[in-house]
Amino acid sequence: MQNFQTLFRTFVRSFSHNFNPVTLRPQSVITLNKAFLHSTKIFCRRLETRHIGINYILTEKFRHRYHYCINAHEHNALSKNVPVIDWKTLSFYSFHVIPDSYLPKTRELLLSKFGEMGIVGRIYIATEGINAQLSCPLEQLDNLRKFCDQELKLENVEFNFSTIHVKAFRKLNVKIRNQIVSDGLEKGSYDLSNQPKHLSPAEWHAALSNAKTSINLIDMRNHYESEIGYFENSIRQDVDTFRDSIISMNKILEGKQSEDIYMYCTGGIRCSKAGAILLSNGFKSVYVLKGGVTAYGRYITSNPSITSLYKGRNFTFDKRLGEPITNDIVSQCHTCGEPCDTHTNCRNKTCNLLFIQCQECRKRLSRTCGSEFCLRLVQAWDEKFGRPSGFDDVKPNYQCVYDHVHRTRPKLVIERLGGTSANVPSDLVEMLLEKNSIIKR
Ligand SMILES: [Zn+2]
Ligand SMILES: [Zn+2]
């Protein structure tokens, strides 16, 4: 730690009028002026090249004051200096009214309490409720439960645990949104309290096992999620957002109001809403998988004698980009077509294409999507900066070339870019490199 202390003190001294003198220990909380946020981030990156890892979590933001919880460790001496954290990856959600005026307060509360507990993840709050995906240090799990019960008044909320437990998020993010699940419908056009029947994984498994092949079984996830894993005989919708899946669902189920409808998603939240929409539109019996594919994965893992009706991986919106439910590989590498179910993002962060790529193609194409633009950019980048570990992402200050839809559809991107080469002027790569002499992440 000594090396780190010295380095950090030098840094603090150079901005001394903006800092209270601090002795930085693991988990220290420092207050930064907004103006120095950027320099601090660059400094932290520099520390990383000296084998000092530093995680900083924004715990509070008030006017120009940013409170950071800083956690530092030496990469090569992890076990000596910092106890290895056992993580629990989980999600929870609740549809309940949070008055508009309470949202900023709730956000601050979540940032400070979760920050204190060292929790990382992504949380959305809206007037319709809360949706949280978290990695929580195991030792803080009881405190998290207590906090949810007592301060958030969510006594009945179930923690939906993953089967793979890692630190799945880089930092803690709490966002105020119009809706926790964006449906694109007019306010009041359906009644959320009109909840479908939530089947436990065991009940769901029994129901599907006994059902005929003509069952109305609908996957409420996006196309790139159901591409790598799905329930057999399910209708997988070719959609990019939940909003689109509602439109598509209404078309698929038209005239089937009196039939049994089964639906599933990753953790259950999307089906809570989609089910309520169907019931509000005259459907009589709608069954959803409680806790989604995540809960079904736990059920299959703890009951090895049962043959899973779900094949493949469960896509997750975190660093893991999915967890296996069975060993079946139901998808192909988007580059070479070999069986593969590993999602990855193009190394050029201004492209950031989300696609499936096998290890061989990944290596051959320097972890890019393979477009000439991305390949040339990362190769030029590596030539200029080398490739120290931890600096893998190439993030020049350049607007992303794709919108949300194109970001997950490699075929559309290739069409749009005209084969394998980007419609970007050939000298742009050099210009971008010139303009961005420092690494931004
Ligand atoms: Zn491949
Ligand atoms: Zn790319």
Side-chain angles (χ1 to χ4, degrees), residues 103-169:
L103 289 174
K105 233 187 199 166
T106 310
R107 180 174 180 272
E108 274 169 39
L109 180 71
L110 287 165
L111 281 171
S112 72
K113 292 290 164 133
F114 283 9
E116 270 169 32
M117 290 186 240
I119 291 172
V120 289
R122 188 189 307 114
I123 303 163
Y124 295 138
I125 50 172
T127 49
E128 67 176 10
I130 179 166
N131 181 19
Q133 286 155 304
L134 309 170
S135 288
C136 174
L138 180 61
E139 58 186 30
Q140 294 291 343
L141 208 54
D142 289 343
N143 290 335
L144 174 64
R145 186 72 256 184
K146 241 183 257 166
F147 172 78
C148 286
D149 293 351
Q150 293 168 6
E151 301 199 47
L152 296 179
K153 310 281 180 226
L154 297 175
E155 292 87 347
N156 299 321
V157 153
E158 234 176 84
F159 285 175
N160 196 5
F161 289 99
S162 297
T163 41
I164 305 276
H165 296 283
V166 291
K167 186 186 177 196
F169 301 87

Coordinates of all heavy atoms in Angstrom, one line a residue, residues 103-169:
L103 N -38.6 10.6 -5.4 CA -37.6 9.9 -6.2 C -36.1 10.3 -6.0 O -35.3 9.5 -5.7 CB -38.0 9.9 -7.7 CG -39.2 9.1 -8.1 CD1 -39.6 9.4 -9.5 CD2 -39.0 7.6 -7.9
P104 N -35.9 11.7 -6.0 CA -34.5 12.1 -5.7 C -34.0 11.6 -4.4 O -32.8 11.2 -4.2 CB -34.6 13.6 -5.8 CG -35.8 13.9 -6.6 CD -36.8 12.8 -6.3
K105 N -34.8 11.7 -3.4 CA -34.5 11.3 -2.0 C -34.2 9.8 -2.0 O -33.2 9.4 -1.4 CB -35.7 11.6 -1.1 CG -35.3 12.4 0.1 CD -36.5 12.5 1.0 CE -36.4 13.6 2.0 NZ -37.7 13.9 2.6
T106 N -35.0 9.0 -2.6 CA -34.8 7.6 -2.7 C -33.5 7.3 -3.3 O -32.8 6.4 -2.9 CB -36.0 6.9 -3.4 OG1 -37.2 7.4 -2.9 CG2 -35.9 5.4 -3.3
R107 N -33.2 8.0 -4.4 CA -32.0 7.8 -5.1 C -30.8 8.0 -4.2 O -29.8 7.2 -4.1 CB -31.9 8.7 -6.4 CG -30.7 8.5 -7.2 CD -30.7 9.3 -8.4 NE -29.4 9.1 -9.2 CZ -28.3 9.8 -9.0 NH1 -28.3 10.8 -8.1 NH2 -27.2 9.5 -9.6
E108 N -30.8 9.2 -3.5 CA -29.7 9.5 -2.6 C -29.5 8.5 -1.5 O -28.4 8.1 -1.2 CB -30.0 10.9 -2.0 CG -29.5 12.0 -2.8 CD -29.9 13.4 -2.3 OE1 -30.0 13.6 -1.1 OE2 -30.3 14.2 -3.1
L109 N -30.7 8.0 -1.0 CA -30.6 7.0 0.1 C -30.0 5.7 -0.5 O -29.1 5.1 0.2 CB -32.1 6.7 0.5 CG -32.2 5.7 1.6 CD1 -31.7 6.2 3.0 CD2 -33.7 5.3 1.8
L110 N -30.4 5.3 -1.7 CA -29.8 4.0 -2.2 C -28.4 4.2 -2.5 O -27.6 3.3 -2.2 CB -30.6 3.7 -3.6 CG -32.0 3.2 -3.4 CD1 -32.7 3.3 -4.8 CD2 -32.0 1.8 -2.9
L111 N -28.0 5.4 -3.0 CA -26.5 5.6 -3.3 C -25.7 5.5 -2.1 O -24.6 4.9 -2.0 CB -26.3 6.9 -4.1 CG -26.7 6.9 -5.6 CD1 -26.6 8.3 -6.1 CD2 -25.7 6.1 -6.3
S112 N -26.2 6.2 -1.0 CA -25.3 6.2 0.2 C -25.3 4.9 0.9 O -24.3 4.4 1.3 CB -25.7 7.4 1.1 OG -27.0 7.1 1.7
K113 N -26.5 4.3 1.1 CA -26.6 3.0 1.8 C -25.9 1.9 1.1 O -25.1 1.1 1.7 CB -28.0 2.6 2.2 CG -28.7 3.6 3.2 CD -28.0 3.4 4.5 CE -28.4 4.6 5.4 NZ -28.9 4.3 6.7
F114 N -26.2 1.7 -0.2 CA -25.6 0.7 -1.0 C -24.1 0.9 -1.1 O -23.3 0.0 -1.1 CB -26.2 0.5 -2.3 CG -27.6 -0.2 -2.3 CD1 -28.2 -0.5 -1.1 CD2 -28.2 -0.5 -3.5 CE1 -29.4 -1.1 -1.0 CE2 -29.4 -1.2 -3.4 CZ -30.0 -1.5 -2.2
G115 N -23.7 2.2 -1.2 CA -22.3 2.6 -1.3 C -21.5 2.1 -0.1 O -20.5 1.5 -0.1
E116 N -22.1 2.4 1.1 CA -21.5 2.0 2.4 C -21.4 0.5 2.4 O -20.4 0.0 3.0 CB -22.5 2.4 3.5 CG -22.2 3.8 4.1 CD -23.3 4.2 5.0 OE1 -23.9 3.3 5.7 OE2 -23.6 5.4 5.1
M117 N -22.3 -0.2 1.9 CA -22.3 -1.7 2.0 C -21.4 -2.3 0.9 O -21.1 -3.5 0.9 CB -23.7 -2.3 1.8 CG -24.6 -2.1 3.0 SD -26.2 -3.0 2.7 CE -27.4 -1.7 2.7
G118 N -20.8 -1.4 0.0 CA -19.9 -1.9 -1.1 C -20.7 -2.6 -2.2 O -20.1 -3.4 -2.9
I119 N -22.0 -2.3 -2.3 CA -22.8 -3.0 -3.3 C -22.6 -2.3 -4.7 O -22.5 -1.1 -4.7 CB -24.3 -2.9 -2.9 CG1 -24.6 -3.8 -1.7 CG2 -25.2 -3.3 -4.1 CD1 -25.9 -3.7 -1.1
V120 N -22.5 -3.1 -5.7 CA -22.4 -2.5 -7.1 C -23.6 -3.0 -7.9 O -24.2 -4.0 -7.5 CB -21.1 -2.8 -7.8 CG1 -19.9 -2.1 -7.2 CG2 -20.9 -4.4 -7.8
G121 N -24.0 -2.3 -8.9 CA -25.1 -2.7 -9.7 C -25.9 -1.6 -10.4 O -25.4 -0.5 -10.4
R122 N -27.0 -2.0 -11.0 CA -27.8 -1.0 -11.7 C -29.2 -1.0 -11.1 O -29.9 -2.1 -11.0 CB -27.9 -1.4 -13.2 CG -28.5 -0.4 -14.1 CD -28.7 -1.0 -15.5 NE -27.5 -1.5 -16.1 CZ -27.4 -2.8 -16.4 NH1 -28.3 -3.7 -16.1 NH2 -26.3 -3.2 -16.9
I123 N -29.7 0.1 -10.7 CA -31.0 0.3 -10.1 C -31.8 1.3 -10.8 O -31.3 2.4 -11.1 CB -30.9 0.6 -8.6 CG1 -30.0 -0.4 -7.9 CG2 -32.3 0.7 -8.0 CD1 -29.5 0.1 -6.6
Y124 N -33.0 1.0 -11.2 CA -33.9 1.9 -11.8 C -35.1 2.2 -10.8 O -35.6 1.3 -10.2 CB -34.5 1.4 -13.1 CG -33.5 1.2 -14.2 CD1 -33.6 0.1 -15.0 CD2 -32.5 2.1 -14.4 CE1 -32.6 -0.1 -16.0 CE2 -31.6 2.0 -15.4 CZ -31.6 0.8 -16.2 OH -30.7 0.6 -17.2
I125 N -35.4 3.5 -10.6 CA -36.5 3.8 -9.8 C -37.4 4.7 -10.6 O -37.0 5.5 -11.4 CB -36.2 4.5 -8.4 CG1 -35.2 5.6 -8.6 CG2 -35.6 3.5 -7.4 CD1 -35.0 6.4 -7.3
A126 N -38.7 4.6 -10.4 CA -39.7 5.4 -11.1 C -41.0 5.4 -10.2 O -41.0 4.8 -9.2 CB -40.1 4.7 -12.4
T127 N -41.9 6.2 -10.6 CA -43.1 6.3 -9.8 C -43.9 5.0 -9.7 O -44.7 4.8 -8.9 CB -44.1 7.4 -10.4 OG1 -44.3 7.1 -11.8 CG2 -43.6 8.8 -10.2
E128 N -43.5 4.0 -10.7 CA -44.2 2.7 -10.6 C -43.4 1.7 -9.8 O -43.9 0.6 -9.6 CB -44.4 2.2 -12.0 CG -43.2 1.8 -12.8 CD -43.4 1.2 -14.2 OE1 -44.6 1.2 -14.6 OE2 -42.5 0.7 -14.8
G129 N -42.2 2.0 -9.3 CA -41.5 1.1 -8.4 C -40.0 1.1 -8.6 O -39.4 2.1 -9.0
I130 N -39.5 -0.1 -8.2 CA -38.0 -0.2 -8.2 C -37.6 -1.5 -8.9 O -38.3 -2.5 -8.8 CB -37.4 -0.2 -6.8 CG1 -35.9 -0.3 -6.8 CG2 -38.1 -1.2 -5.9 CD1 -35.3 0.0 -5.4
N131 N -36.5 -1.5 -9.7 CA -35.9 -2.7 -10.3 C -34.4 -2.6 -10.1 O -33.8 -1.7 -10.5 CB -36.3 -2.6 -11.8 CG -35.7 -3.9 -12.5 OD1 -35.4 -4.9 -11.9 ND2 -35.6 -3.8 -13.8
A132 N -33.9 -3.6 -9.4 CA -32.5 -3.6 -9.0 C -31.8 -4.9 -9.4 O -32.3 -6.0 -9.2 CB -32.4 -3.4 -7.5
Q133 N -30.6 -4.7 -10.0 CA -29.7 -5.8 -10.3 C -28.4 -5.5 -9.6 O -27.8 -4.5 -9.9 CB -29.5 -5.9 -11.8 CG -30.7 -6.5 -12.5 CD -30.8 -6.1 -13.9 OE1 -30.8 -4.9 -14.3 NE2 -30.9 -7.1 -14.8
L134 N -28.0 -6.4 -8.7 CA -26.9 -6.1 -7.8 C -25.9 -7.2 -7.7 O -26.2 -8.4 -7.9 CB -27.4 -5.8 -6.4 CG -28.5 -4.8 -6.2 CD1 -29.0 -4.9 -4.8 CD2 -28.1 -3.4 -6.6
S135 N -24.6 -6.8 -7.3 CA -23.7 -7.7 -6.8 C -23.4 -7.2 -5.4 O -23.0 -6.0 -5.2 CB -22.4 -7.8 -7.6 OG -22.6 -8.4 -8.8
C136 N -23.7 -8.0 -4.4 CA -23.6 -7.6 -3.0 C -22.5 -8.5 -2.3 O -22.5 -9.7 -2.4 CB -24.9 -7.8 -2.3 SG -24.9 -7.5 -0.5
P137 N -21.6 -7.8 -1.5 CA -20.7 -8.7 -0.7 C -21.5 -9.6 0.2 O -22.4 -9.1 0.8 CB -19.8 -7.6 0.1 CG -20.0 -6.4 -0.7 CD -21.3 -6.4 -1.3
L138 N -21.1 -10.8 0.2 CA -21.8 -11.8 1.0 C -22.1 -11.4 2.4 O -23.2 -11.5 3.0 CB -21.1 -13.2 1.0 CG -21.7 -14.3 1.8 CD1 -23.0 -14.7 1.2 CD2 -20.8 -15.5 1.8
E139 N -21.1 -10.8 3.0 CA -21.2 -10.3 4.5 C -22.2 -9.2 4.6 O -22.6 -8.9 5.8 CB -19.8 -9.9 5.0 CG -19.2 -8.8 4.2 CD -17.8 -8.5 4.6 OE1 -17.1 -9.4 5.0 OE2 -17.4 -7.3 4.4
Q140 N -22.6 -8.6 3.6 CA -23.6 -7.5 3.7 C -25.0 -7.9 3.3 O -25.9 -7.1 3.4 CB -23.2 -6.3 2.7 CG -21.9 -5.6 3.1 CD -21.9 -4.9 4.4 OE1 -23.0 -4.5 4.9 NE2 -20.8 -4.5 5.0
L141 N -25.1 -9.2 3.0 CA -26.4 -9.6 2.5 C -27.6 -9.4 3.5 O -28.7 -9.0 3.2 CB -26.3 -11.1 2.1 CG -27.3 -11.6 1.1 CD1 -27.2 -10.8 -0.2 CD2 -27.0 -13.1 0.8
D142 N -27.2 -9.7 4.8 CA -28.3 -9.5 5.9 C -28.6 -8.0 6.0 O -29.8 -7.6 6.2 CB -27.7 -10.0 7.2 CG -27.7 -11.5 7.3 OD1 -28.3 -12.1 6.4 OD2 -27.0 -12.0 8.1
N143 N -27.6 -7.1 5.9 CA -27.8 -5.7 6.0 C -28.7 -5.2 4.8 O -29.6 -4.4 5.0 CB -26.5 -4.9 6.0 CG -25.8 -5.1 7.3 OD1 -26.4 -5.4 8.3 ND2 -24.5 -5.0 7.2
L144 N -28.5 -5.8 3.6 CA -29.3 -5.5 2.4 C -30.7 -5.9 2.7 O -31.6 -5.1 2.4 CB -28.7 -6.2 1.2 CG -29.5 -6.0 -0.1 CD1 -29.6 -4.6 -0.5 CD2 -29.0 -6.9 -1.2
R145 N -30.9 -7.1 3.2 CA -32.3 -7.5 3.5 C -33.0 -6.6 4.5 O -34.1 -6.1 4.3 CB -32.2 -8.9 4.1 CG -33.6 -9.6 4.3 CD -34.2 -10.1 3.0 NE -35.3 -9.2 2.7 CZ -36.1 -9.4 1.6 NH1 -35.9 -10.4 0.8 NH2 -37.1 -8.6 1.4
K146 N -32.2 -6.2 5.6 CA -32.8 -5.3 6.6 C -33.1 -4.0 6.0 O -34.2 -3.4 6.3 CB -31.7 -5.1 7.7 CG -32.2 -5.6 9.1 CD -31.1 -5.3 10.1 CE -30.4 -6.6 10.5 NZ -29.2 -6.3 11.3
F147 N -32.2 -3.5 5.1 CA -32.5 -2.2 4.5 C -33.7 -2.2 3.6 O -34.6 -1.3 3.7 CB -31.2 -1.8 3.7 CG -31.4 -0.5 2.8 CD1 -31.4 0.7 3.4 CD2 -31.7 -0.6 1.5 CE1 -31.6 1.9 2.7 CE2 -31.9 0.5 0.7 CZ -31.9 1.8 1.3
C148 N -33.9 -3.3 2.9 CA -35.1 -3.4 2.0 C -36.3 -3.5 2.8 O -37.3 -2.9 2.5 CB -34.9 -4.7 1.1 SG -33.7 -4.4 -0.2
D149 N -36.3 -4.3 3.9 CA -37.5 -4.5 4.8 C -37.8 -3.2 5.5 O -39.0 -2.8 5.4 CB -37.2 -5.6 5.8 CG -37.0 -6.9 5.2 OD1 -37.3 -7.1 4.0 OD2 -36.7 -7.9 5.9
Q150 N -36.8 -2.6 6.1 CA -37.1 -1.5 7.0 C -37.2 -0.1 6.4 O -38.1 0.7 6.6 CB -36.1 -1.5 8.2 CG -36.3 -2.7 9.1 CD -35.1 -2.9 10.0 OE1 -34.3 -2.0 10.1 NE2 -35.1 -4.0 10.8
E151 N -36.2 0.2 5.5 CA -36.2 1.5 4.9 C -36.9 1.6 3.6 O -37.5 2.6 3.3 CB -34.7 2.0 4.8 CG -34.1 2.0 6.2 CD -32.8 2.8 6.2 OE1 -32.9 3.9 5.7 OE2 -31.8 2.3 6.8
L152 N -36.9 0.5 2.8 CA -37.6 0.6 1.5 C -39.0 0.0 1.7 O -39.8 0.1 0.7 CB -36.9 -0.1 0.4 CG -35.5 0.4 0.0 CD1 -34.9 -0.5 -1.1 CD2 -35.6 1.9 -0.5
K153 N -39.3 -0.6 2.8 CA -40.6 -1.2 3.1 C -41.0 -2.2 2.1 O -42.1 -2.3 1.5 CB -41.7 -0.1 3.2 CG -41.4 1.1 4.0 CD -41.7 0.8 5.5 CE -41.4 2.0 6.4 NZ -40.5 1.6 7.6
L154 N -40.0 -3.1 1.8 CA -40.2 -4.1 0.8 C -40.1 -5.5 1.4 O -39.4 -6.4 1.0 CB -39.2 -4.0 -0.4 CG -39.2 -2.7 -1.2 CD1 -38.1 -2.7 -2.2 CD2 -40.5 -2.6 -2.0
E155 N -40.9 -5.7 2.5 CA -40.8 -7.0 3.3 C -41.0 -8.2 2.4 O -40.5 -9.3 2.6 CB -41.8 -7.0 4.4 CG -41.5 -6.0 5.5 CD -42.1 -4.6 5.3 OE1 -42.6 -4.4 4.1 OE2 -42.1 -3.8 6.2
N156 N -41.9 -8.1 1.4 CA -42.3 -9.3 0.6 C -41.5 -9.5 -0.6 O -41.7 -10.4 -1.4 CB -43.8 -9.2 0.3 CG -44.6 -9.1 1.5 OD1 -44.3 -9.8 2.5 ND2 -45.7 -8.3 1.5
V157 N -40.5 -8.6 -0.8 CA -39.8 -8.7 -2.1 C -38.8 -9.8 -2.0 O -38.1 -10.0 -1.0 CB -39.0 -7.4 -2.3 CG1 -37.8 -7.6 -3.2 CG2 -39.9 -6.4 -3.1
E158 N -38.8 -10.7 -3.1 CA -37.9 -11.8 -3.1 C -36.6 -11.5 -3.8 O -36.6 -10.8 -4.8 CB -38.6 -12.9 -3.9 CG -38.7 -14.2 -3.1 CD -39.5 -15.2 -3.9 OE1 -38.8 -15.9 -4.8 OE2 -40.7 -15.4 -3.7
F159 N -35.5 -11.9 -3.2 CA -34.2 -11.7 -3.8 C -34.1 -12.9 -4.8 O -34.1 -14.0 -4.4 CB -33.1 -11.8 -2.8 CG -32.9 -10.5 -1.9 CD1 -32.0 -10.5 -0.9 CD2 -33.7 -9.4 -2.2 CE1 -31.9 -9.3 -0.1 CE2 -33.6 -8.3 -1.4 CZ -32.7 -8.2 -0.4
N160 N -33.9 -12.5 -6.0 CA -33.7 -13.6 -7.1 C -32.2 -13.8 -7.4 O -31.6 -13.0 -8.1 CB -34.5 -13.1 -8.3 CG -34.7 -14.2 -9.3 OD1 -34.5 -15.3 -9.1 ND2 -35.3 -13.8 -10.5
F161 N -31.7 -14.8 -6.8 CA -30.2 -15.1 -6.9 C -29.9 -15.8 -8.2 O -30.6 -16.7 -8.6 CB -29.7 -15.9 -5.7 CG -29.8 -15.2 -4.4 CD1 -30.8 -15.3 -3.5 CD2 -28.7 -14.3 -4.1 CE1 -30.8 -14.7 -2.3 CE2 -28.7 -13.6 -2.9 CZ -29.8 -13.8 -2.0
S162 N -28.7 -15.4 -8.7 CA -28.2 -16.0 -9.9 C -27.6 -17.4 -9.5 O -27.5 -17.7 -8.3 CB -27.1 -15.2 -10.5 OG -27.6 -14.0 -11.0
T163 N -27.1 -18.1 -10.5 CA -26.4 -19.4 -10.2 C -24.9 -19.1 -10.2 O -24.1 -19.8 -9.6 CB -26.7 -20.5 -11.1 OG1 -26.8 -20.0 -12.4 CG2 -28.1 -21.1 -10.8
I164 N -24.5 -18.1 -10.9 CA -23.0 -17.7 -11.0 C -22.9 -16.4 -10.2 O -23.5 -15.4 -10.5 CB -22.6 -17.5 -12.4 CG1 -22.9 -18.7 -13.3 CG2 -21.1 -17.1 -12.5 CD1 -21.9 -19.8 -13.3
H165 N -22.0 -16.5 -9.2 CA -21.9 -15.3 -8.3 C -20.5 -14.7 -8.5 O -19.5 -15.2 -8.2 CB -22.1 -15.7 -6.8 CG -23.5 -16.1 -6.6 ND1 -24.5 -15.3 -6.4 CD2 -24.0 -17.4 -6.5 CE1 -25.6 -16.0 -6.3 NE2 -25.3 -17.2 -6.3
V166 N -20.5 -13.5 -9.1 CA -19.2 -12.7 -9.3 C -19.6 -11.2 -9.1 O -20.7 -10.9 -8.9 CB -18.7 -12.9 -10.8 CG1 -18.2 -14.3 -11.0 CG2 -19.8 -12.5 -11.8
K167 N -18.6 -10.4 -9.2 CA -18.8 -9.0 -9.2 C -19.2 -8.6 -10.6 O -18.4 -8.4 -11.4 CB -17.6 -8.2 -8.7 CG -17.9 -6.7 -8.6 CD -16.6 -6.0 -8.3 CE -16.9 -4.5 -8.2 NZ -15.7 -3.6 -8.3
A168 N -20.5 -8.6 -10.8 CA -21.0 -8.5 -12.2 C -21.1 -7.1 -12.7 O -21.4 -6.9 -13.9 CB -22.4 -9.2 -12.3
F169 N -20.9 -6.1 -11.9 CA -21.0 -4.7 -12.3 C -19.7 -4.0 -11.8 O -19.1 -4.3 -10.8 CB -22.2 -4.0 -11.6 CG -23.5 -4.7 -12.0 CD1 -24.0 -5.7 -11.3 CD2 -24.2 -4.2 -13.1 CE1 -25.2 -6.3 -11.6 CE2 -25.4 -4.8 -13.5 CZ -25.9 -5.9 -12.7

